Amino acid sequence: MLAKSVHDAGWAAFFFKLSYKAESAGRQFLVVVAHGTSQRCPCGAPNPKRLNDREHVCVECGLVTTRDHASALEILRLGLSLLALTQPEVRVIVA
Ligand SMILES: [Zn+2]
């Protein structure tokens, strides 16, 4: 129980520092819920995988890459979508 509190406080402090550094660099810091990002393709198609499946192959858009790279692209897409919601003048294009 205490370990979880320490863990949560550690993430909160880390996010605070990231937010501060982003703002001081003229950037924005957004938190994206990364849960399930390895189970979707950045094109939006579901792409279920088991934990030991390390390759991402999408039959919808043809994207072939590593599981981690596909997850990173999905996290980027989610973050840019969130940014577009908060700032409608921002255009979101993920290729
Ligand atoms: Zn796809």
Side-chain angles (χ1 to χ4, degrees):
M1 198 66 142
L2 179 62
K4 184 179 182 332
S5 297
V6 170
H7 177 77
D8 290 345
W11 277 110
F14 180 63
F15 285 163
F16 179 79
K17 289 175 183 172
L18 276 179
S19 177
Y20 173 80
K21 292 300 282 183
E23 188 174 318
S24 68
R27 304 291 182 165
Q28 275 198 298
F29 173 78
L30 299 170
V31 176
V32 173
V33 178
H35 180 74
T37 54
S38 66
Q39 304 299 312
R40 285 189 306 271
C41 181
C43 75
N47 196 301
K49 300 177 198 71
R50 292 173 302 200
L51 191 56
N52 62 351
D53 294 334
R54 304 311 304 168
E55 188 178 31
H56 175 93
V57 179
C58 179
V59 294
E60 295 292 326
C61 69
L63 176 64
V64 177
T65 186
T66 63
R67 175 195 185 111
D68 294 340
H69 185 228
S71 292
L73 290 173
E74 176 65 356
I75 289 168
L76 174 62
R77 187 189 67 79
L78 291 172
L80 292 174
S81 297
L82 184 60
L83 185 63
L85 284 175
T86 58
Q87 297 179 9
E89 70 277 4
V90 173
R91 290 184 54 211
V92 176
I93 300 171
V94 177

